[in-house]
Amino acid sequence: MNIATVQNNGADIALIHSSEELITDVQSALDLIATVQYETGCHRIVLHKTAITETFFDLKTKLAGEILQKFINYQTKIAIAGDFSAYSSKSLRDFIYECNQGKDIFFLASEHEAVEKLSHL
């Protein structure tokens, strides 16, 4: 895992790059939040969707809700970057849409869009 920080529009944002899955369950999400906050002081994170287990995107598992609730509890905003068009689930599309209407969790096509979104909150 590589953590870089960028500052955009006065906001410090952690960019996380990894060739392996970093979030596989609730505990690994908590570990990621703690690591990022300890190493960078950032409360805004951009993470590529490939760093998250595919189980997350199956809403029947309830893993997405449990994990994203931890980000909210720890006052950490997250933007997940990637191509979500491969998912055919209407409930997942609705979930992504609703998240993108809020202020804490976003699903965006690129890292650039994610940084822009998180820097204007």
Side-chain angles (χ1 to χ4, degrees):
M1 173 174 68
N2 180 28
I3 304 172
T5 58
V6 296
Q7 190 174 60
N8 192 6
N9 199 36
D12 293 323
I13 301 168
L15 305 176
I16 301 174
H17 298 108
S18 178
S19 58
E20 60 187 47
E21 287 183 352
L22 298 175
I23 297 181
T24 57
D25 56 18
V26 173
Q27 186 58 53
S28 60
L30 288 170
D31 293 345
L32 179 68
I33 292 168
T35 299
V36 169
Q37 289 183 1
Y38 177 76
E39 290 186 14
T40 68
C42 293
H43 291 271
R44 299 171 194 218
I45 297 173
V46 174
L47 182 66
H48 196 274
K49 77 176 204 74
T50 57
I52 303 172
T53 181
E54 276 298 311
T55 307
F56 176 93
F57 298 99
D58 179 1
L59 295 183
K60 291 178 200 152
T61 67
K62 300 183 181 181
L63 187 60
E66 292 173 5
I67 287 172
L68 295 177
Q69 186 62 50
K70 298 302 179 192
F71 282 89
I72 292 169
N73 291 352
Y74 287 89
Q75 299 173 355
T76 301
K77 298 178 185 311
I78 184 168
I80 301 168
D83 179 9
F84 303 99
S85 64
Y87 300 108
S88 60
S89 166
K90 181 180 179 336
S91 58
L92 179 60
R93 284 194 310 269
D94 292 346
F95 179 76
I96 289 172
Y97 174 82
E98 289 298 324
C99 286
N100 286 343
Q101 301 309 304
K103 299 179 285 186
D104 299 301
I105 301 156
F106 306 96
F107 294 84
L108 300 162
S110 70
E111 186 175 277
H112 176 74
E113 286 180 61
V115 168
E116 285 299 311
K117 185 68 172 182
L118 289 177
S119 66
H120 288 93
L121 296 175

